């Protein structure tokens, strides 16, 4: 059985991958409508005062949208929950556009005002794939704005969860704290230059003025910027755990207290510069980490997959209603490619439902009138009508998500190794401070306080925190540049510790969208192929359409006597030959053995062969599996049938664990069993049926063809096109700990120099001012340099 890989083309304008559905103009391929338009303007000297979609033949149908698809935006109750601001003249709205991926997209979307004069402005957030639009609400409606975006190739993605959640506000508090700390640190350093250089100012009043100004500038750092560490330290102490922030907070207070004492007593200028510098550099590291993964949502639920509104049939005709308005006994009209929002009975039409997201089964399910259809399936055929028998809250999909078995196992959470190192380091520092106090108690008691506070100032674990935050931030940055996004820095350590890898099949190893077809049987002549293709083209069933496309029917044949038996097959007379397509029992009534992933073909009631459907595996999957198996056992658990069993066994090895027909609960139990055997499990999946296993696994990675589309709650999200680099990403995460410890050991050398002066009670502001920035800059260079070098060797950075 052959397993083809996806062939892609490169955009003629920007060089990006065109994906599965490229745009064409003059036989040139473009990845998006933005590139197509920019190319046409640049190379044809076109104008951009208006936009005429008909100018590009063959592309308009790509944006064909059902006429009333966004009519629910005319409902004030719905629109008010989506808009961010509105007054009597203008409205502000933010749309998520998953199609955004290149500079041409940005250019086109930020020039919407040149396409429609009633658009005041449009600004793209490239990282979040969002566009903020301001428009004149007296001249154009929200629905028309959405349709304008569709007309240029960017259909907004609006889900039910957008109505339920509170509009997120960007938390800028950490940025403000960083700015305050940086401002104060720079000015305190400037005011401290006389202290550094030992300059005796002619007027002592000027010296005291500088010192008191430094004291005033340090107050915002202690009382505002450093609260970032106070909060986390207090939370850890409440749980009787000494996190790395606790000794850092102690060092900040000791430094501030001693500095205030020196200024008030007139014995020195204090160490406000060192204190504010430490806070400033540590906030840089934390802000870097936060910025890296703030753009993604790792806690999405099933409502992110639901539409905002559906069509309900009433006595007066069709009406659009939001999901909470759906009631028992309502009749819903489900269009092609729409999600079924509630469990119901099929009352009109024939349903061809894709349940792959819910069950993992890649083959569509055929339903006829009177049968039950479940929420979460996507209708892939023509329009159908269903009678609701369960409201949204009681549907199968909702119960699957909310079941207790998918609750995260919080007992398995592990502390970061940084906190463990910090605990030992902190006790060593306390020991050194105690020894210094004992020594000076006998030698010169006046130096006890000076030496003890100096030890606590110099040897606080700030360097360990700096090395950890900068290293984590850099690794998160490198991974995100390769379209692998981690929930937080702790995931780096957990990913480095895994020793067993488990894959879902449909949608993870395979595309979940396209099927490869192979004909097995008596060779077909060109005439026979045309006849079979003509018959197959009469049916709306996905497998029939796939066969028609596979045979590339170009010679149109007349089909007479066509009939279709629901869920079984089709037959008809083509140019005098009776041809049948369907299950084996349909084309050969005497047989009772059917192959789920095959369509049999008969001519004049004689079976001559079959079309075998197999999943299309992603690019370089065998290479990825081979490299992973060098270090980890690899398992595959799938909700699909066993049609791929032999191929996967040949790929993974006969001793590998390959399980099929697995329900969501079965997948969860597999992960628990592996963990009971002492395994640290990495699970990769893509659908709701993988949600429980992803939560239970030590690390759960959601695989998505678009990282901002719906994915189950997970520790990480990986773009499906980068799945082949999984082994490299794990290796990069494994290097995190050595880099942190190496940079920490370098900082310890600086601390030893400082301690030499501290225990003697001779720590001058000059020495502290040199050691603190030198240590911080060294850590910065080592962490970024080492991380980038490792990424370069792994081929993750050019």
């Amino acid at each position: 059985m052959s397993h083809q890989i996806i062939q892609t083309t490169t955009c003629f304008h920007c060089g990006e991958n065109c994906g599965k559905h490229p745009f064409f103009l003059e036989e040139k391929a473009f990845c998006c409508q933005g590139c197509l338009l920019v190319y046409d303007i640049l190379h044809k000297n076109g104008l951009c005062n208006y936009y005429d979609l008909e100018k590009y033949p063959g592309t308009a149908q790509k944006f064909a949208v059902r006429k009333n698809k966004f009519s629910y935006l005319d409902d004030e109750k719905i629109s008010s929950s989506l808009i961010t601001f509105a007054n009597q003249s203008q409205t502000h709205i933010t749309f998520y556009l998953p199609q955004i991926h290149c500079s041409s997209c940005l250019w086109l979307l930020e020039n919407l005002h040149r396409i429609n004069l009633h658009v005041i402005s449009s600004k793209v957030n490239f990282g979040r794939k969002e566009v903020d639009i301001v428009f004149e609400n007296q001249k154009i409606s929200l629905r028309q704005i959405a349709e304008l975006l569709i007309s240029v190739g960017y259909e907004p993605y609006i889900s039910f969860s957008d109505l339920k959640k509170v509009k997120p506000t960007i938390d800028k508090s950490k940025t403000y704290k960083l700015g305050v700390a940086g401002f104060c640190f720079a000015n305190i350093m400037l005011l401290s230059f006389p202290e550094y250089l030992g300059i005796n100012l002619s007027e002592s009043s000027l010296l005291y003025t500088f010192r008191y100004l430094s004291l005033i500038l340090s107050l915002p750092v202690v009382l505002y910027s450093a609260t970032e560490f106070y909060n986390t330290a207090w939370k850890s102490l409440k749980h009787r755990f000494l996190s790395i922030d606790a000794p850092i907070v102690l060092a900040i207070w000791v430094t501030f207290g001693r500095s205030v004492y020196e200024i008030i007593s007139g014995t020195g200028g204090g160490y406000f510069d060192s204190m504010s510098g430490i806070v400033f550099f540590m906030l840089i590291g934390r802000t870097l980490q936060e910025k890296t993964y703030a753009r993604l949502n790792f806690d999405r639920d099933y409502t992110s997959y639901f539409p905002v509104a559906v069509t309900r049939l009433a006595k007066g005709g069709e009406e659009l209603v939001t999901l909470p308005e759906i009631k028992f006994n309502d009749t819903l009209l489900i269009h092609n490619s729409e999600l079924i929002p509630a469990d119901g009975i099929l009352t009109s039409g024939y349903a061809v439902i894709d349940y792959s997201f819910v069950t993992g089964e890649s083959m569509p399910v055929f339903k006829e009138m009177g049968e039950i259809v479940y929420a979460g399936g996507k209708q892939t055929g023509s329009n159908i009508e269903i009678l609701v028998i369960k409201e949204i809250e009681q549907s199968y999909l909702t119960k699957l998500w909310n079941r207790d078995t998918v609750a995260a196992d919080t007992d398995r959470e592990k502390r970061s190794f940084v906190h463990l190192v910090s605990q030992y380091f902190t006790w060593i520092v306390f020991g050194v401070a105690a020894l210094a106090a004992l020594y000076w108690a006998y030698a010169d008691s006046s130096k006890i306080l000076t030496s003890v506070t100096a030890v606590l100032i110099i040897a606080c674990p700030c360097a360990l925190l700096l090395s950890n935050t900068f290293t984590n931030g850099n690794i998160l940055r490198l991974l995100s540049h390769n379209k692998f996004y981690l929930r937080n820095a702790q995931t780096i350590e957990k990913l480095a510790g895994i020793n067993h890898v488990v894959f879902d099949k449909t949608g993870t190893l395979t595309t979940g969208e396209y099927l490869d077809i192979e004909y097995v049987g008596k060779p077909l002549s060109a005439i026979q192929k045309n006849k079979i293709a003509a018959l197959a083209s009469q049916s709306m069933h996905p497998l029939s359409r796939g066969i028609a496309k596979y045979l590339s029917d170009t010679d149109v044949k007349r089909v007479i006597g066509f009939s279709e038996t629901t869920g079984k097959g089709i037959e008809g007379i083509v140019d005098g030959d009776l041809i049948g397509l369907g299950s084996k029992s349909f084309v050969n009534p005497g047989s009772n053995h059917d192959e789920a992933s095959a369509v049999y073909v008969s001519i004049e009631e004689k079976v001559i062969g079959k079309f075998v459907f197999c999943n299309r595996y992603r690019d370089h999957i065998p290479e990825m599996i081979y490299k992973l198996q060098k270090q980890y056992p690899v398992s595959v658990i799938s909700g699909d049938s066993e049609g791929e069993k032999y191929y996967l066994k040949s790929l993974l090895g006969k001793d590998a664990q390959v399980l099929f027909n697995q329900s969501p609960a079965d997948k969860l139990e597999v992960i628990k069993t592996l963990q009971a055997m002492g395994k640290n499990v990495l699970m990769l999946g893509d659908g709701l049926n993988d949600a429980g296993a992803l939560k239970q696994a030590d690390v759960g990675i959601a695989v998505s063809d678009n990282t901002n589309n719906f994915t189950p709650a997970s520790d990480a999200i990986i773009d499906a096109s980068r799945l082949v680099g999984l082994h490299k990403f794990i290796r990069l995460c494994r290097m995190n700990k050595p880099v942190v410890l190496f940079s920490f050991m370098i900082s310890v050398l600086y601390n030893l120099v400082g301690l030499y002066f501290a225990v003697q009670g001779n720590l001058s502001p000059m020495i502290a001012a040199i050691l603190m920035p030198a240590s911080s800059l060294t850590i910065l260079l080592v962490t970024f340099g080492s991380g980038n070098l490792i990424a370069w060797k792994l081929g993750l950075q050019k």
Side-chain angles (χ1 to χ4, degrees), residues 11 100 111 128 135 165 234 294 313 347 350 382 388 439 451 524 592 664 683 689 697 738 796:
C11 177
I100 295 176
N111 280 278
R128 296 183 65 88
F135 62 93
K165 65 188 178 185
W234 174 242
L313 299 179
T347 58
Y350 296 101
S382 56
V388 176
Y439 173 80
S451 62
L524 297 173
N592 56 8
M683 170 70 190
N689 60 312
L796 300 177

Side-chain angles (χ1 to χ4, degrees), residues 53-66:
L53 195 62
E54 296 178 357
K55 183 178 180 182
Y56 307 106
T59 63
Q61 60 267 32
K62 288 182 178 289
F63 312 120
V65 177
R66 195 176 73 250

Side-chain angles (χ1 to χ4, degrees), residues 627-645:
K627 291 182 177 178
L628 282 174
Q629 283 188 315
K630 287 183 176 181
Q631 293 184 303
Y632 313 104
V634 177
S635 303
V636 174
I637 52 177
S638 174
D640 211 345
S641 63
E642 296 187 1
E644 303 287 317
K645 180 177 180 179

Side-chain angles (χ1 to χ4, degrees), residues 79-110:
S79 61
S80 62
S81 65
L82 295 173
I83 62 177
T84 54
F85 172 80
N87 58 22
Q88 294 182 345
S89 61
Q90 61 180 235
T91 297
H92 299 212
I93 181 71
T94 299
F95 282 123
Y96 166 58
L97 307 177
Q99 306 91 340
I100 295 176
H101 73 290
C102 68
S103 58
S104 297
C105 300
L106 189 150
W107 181 89
L108 178 59
L109 291 169
E110 292 199 342

Side-chain angles (χ1 to χ4, degrees), residues 44 90 105 133 225 231 237 398 525 541 552 619 688 748:
K44 284 190 168 183
Q90 61 180 235
C105 300
I133 300 175
S225 296
N231 295 333
L237 290 175
T398 308
S525 66
H541 194 285
S552 301
D619 207 351
L688 183 61
V748 168

Side-chain angles (χ1 to χ4, degrees), residues 17 20 41 152 190 448 527 539 703 793:
N17 192 316
K20 307 181 187 74
I41 291 172
V152 294
L190 183 64
I448 293 178
I527 295 176
S539 173
V703 180
K793 286 188 174 181

Side-chain angles (χ1 to χ4, degrees), residues 8 76 165 325 387 389 420 442 552 565 588 614 641 703 783:
T8 57
E76 186 177 350
K165 65 188 178 185
E325 295 178 282
L387 179 68
I389 59 175
L420 300 177
Y442 290 99
S552 301
T565 303
N588 185 11
C614 56
S641 63
V703 180
T783 54

Side-chain angles (χ1 to χ4, degrees), residues 49 67 70 143 176 197 220 232 262 488 592 672 680 707 769:
N49 294 323
K67 184 177 180 180
F70 285 92
R143 174 183 175 179
Y176 294 149
L197 304 177
T232 51
E262 287 189 3
N488 51 36
N592 56 8
K672 286 184 175 180
N680 293 325
T707 50

